[in-house]
Amino acid sequence: GDRVGWGYEHDSCGRCENCLKGNETYCPERQMYGYADFDQGSFASRAVWREAFLFEIPDALSDESAAPLMCGGATVFNALHMYNVLPTERVGIIGIGGLGHLAIQFAAKMGCDVVVFSGTDSKKEEALALGAKEFHATKGVAELTGIKPVDHLLVTTSSQPEWATYLPVLAAGATIYPLSVADGNFSIPYMPLISNGLRVQGSIVASRHVQNRMLAFAARHGIKPMVQKFPMTAQGITDGLQTLKDGNMRYRGVLIPQEA
């Protein structure tokens, strides 16, 4: 009778060094969504998973709010939580989408100064309402200047940014977190990287320990994704995917099981 959810990772070996250290997301035998268990996915009202990788959902979170937190929420929270982001620091976030709108909320509730970078001003008011202190439009801007440097920069866009544009706003010793999925190589101007002591930190979804902390933190601070709901029917799924293809999803599509 418990209300539970599951995340991007479904299983791991439990024996390797990464598993024993609590870093099971880097287990060589990890079972990840999209790479394993193809018979179970998002278009179903029932699933069977190993209980060790299920997470109890706090009462303060609805099903439709909890679902996007299990993947997108865990991704951004892990970067902020695991790599010692302090409440006294400035956190830059590139992009306001499925990941970005959650990253703004988490970083703001952690006490950070949140600085958002987006193509145009169309999402400015939304970003400020979510907890951002500053907003900067970047479309057509070759170099960002006159901005107090940020200590951490989370990349949540669907493609890599033009790094030369953002280097002027990075503090010495700042860390870049590429969180979105993109093809190709990670390419950044060489001398600014070494002369300013910049770091690039790879990060994936949260381990189980951090996943539970994320859910508790979201419930405590009222952090919820912005969702569009669709019925879990053939037509509802078709409509949801078309909304996604058209670029109109704000910011996560959630399928709602229908009563039998």
Side-chain angles (χ1 to χ4, degrees):
D2 291 338
R3 196 166 59 107
V4 299
W6 58 87
Y8 193 79
E9 183 175 25
H10 304 147
D11 205 352
S12 68
C13 77
R15 304 179 302 274
C16 70
E17 184 175 358
N18 283 317
C19 285
L20 294 175
K21 290 194 301 184
N23 294 329
E24 66 271 9
T25 51
Y26 299 113
C27 170
E29 299 179 28
R30 65 190 181 187
Q31 303 294 299
M32 293 286 200
Y33 181 83
Y35 296 93
D37 304 305
F38 295 123
D39 60 329
Q40 302 208 44
S42 300
F43 305 140
S45 58
R46 300 288 188 275
V48 178
W49 294 115
R50 182 184 169 196
E51 75 283 358
F53 282 80
L54 296 176
F55 304 90
E56 187 171 2
I57 304 300
D59 292 340
L61 294 174
S62 65
D63 289 352
E64 54 265 36
S65 291
L69 289 174
M70 302 308 292
C71 184
T75 297
V76 297
F77 185 85
N78 189 68
L80 294 166
H81 181 78
M82 286 297 292
Y83 303 107
N84 303 314
V85 176
L86 300 175
T88 53
E89 293 180 314
R90 284 168 59 82
V91 174
I93 297 169
I94 304 177
I96 309 172
L99 294 177
H101 90 286
L102 290 171
I104 295 169
Q105 295 180 73
F106 277 120
K109 291 300 184 181
M110 289 177 179
C112 303
D113 267 346
V114 180
V115 185
V116 172
F117 303 94
S118 186
T120 68
D121 283 324
S122 63
K123 298 179 181 178
K124 180 177 180 178
E125 295 306 315
E126 196 168 71
L128 297 176
L130 290 170
K133 293 289 183 66
E134 296 177 29
F135 182 96
H136 302 280
T138 60
K139 189 174 182 179
V141 177
E143 183 178 292
L144 294 165
T145 58
I147 301 171
K148 184 179 177 181
V150 300
D151 305 290
H152 302 271
L153 185 65
L154 277 63
V155 183
T156 73
T157 48
S158 57
S159 60
Q160 295 189 51
E162 184 60 51
W163 288 111
T165 302
Y166 288 92
L167 292 178
V169 301
L170 296 178
T175 304
I176 298 167
Y177 306 87
L179 299 180
S180 51
V181 177
D183 294 325
N185 297 322
F186 184 90
S187 180
I188 193 168
Y190 182 76
M191 285 307 297
L193 178 74
I194 62 173
S195 62
N196 290 308
L198 303 180
R199 290 174 289 182
V200 178
Q201 177 63 59
S203 179
I204 198 168
V205 290
S207 65
R208 288 170 289 176
H209 167 64
V210 177
Q211 186 104 354
N212 277 319
R213 285 193 165 188
M214 179 275 298
L215 288 170
F217 190 90
R220 184 184 311 133
H221 293 285
I223 294 173
K224 298 178 180 178
M226 298 171 64
V227 302
Q228 288 181 241
K229 295 183 283 187
F230 301 87
M232 190 181 286
T233 62
Q235 187 59 52
I237 292 171
T238 300
D239 292 343
L241 290 175
Q242 189 60 51
T243 301
L244 181 65
K245 289 177 182 178
D246 292 342
N248 294 325
M249 194 70 77
R250 296 292 183 273
Y251 284 105
R252 278 290 190 257
V254 178
L255 300 174
I256 306 299
Q258 304 301 289
E259 295 295 332

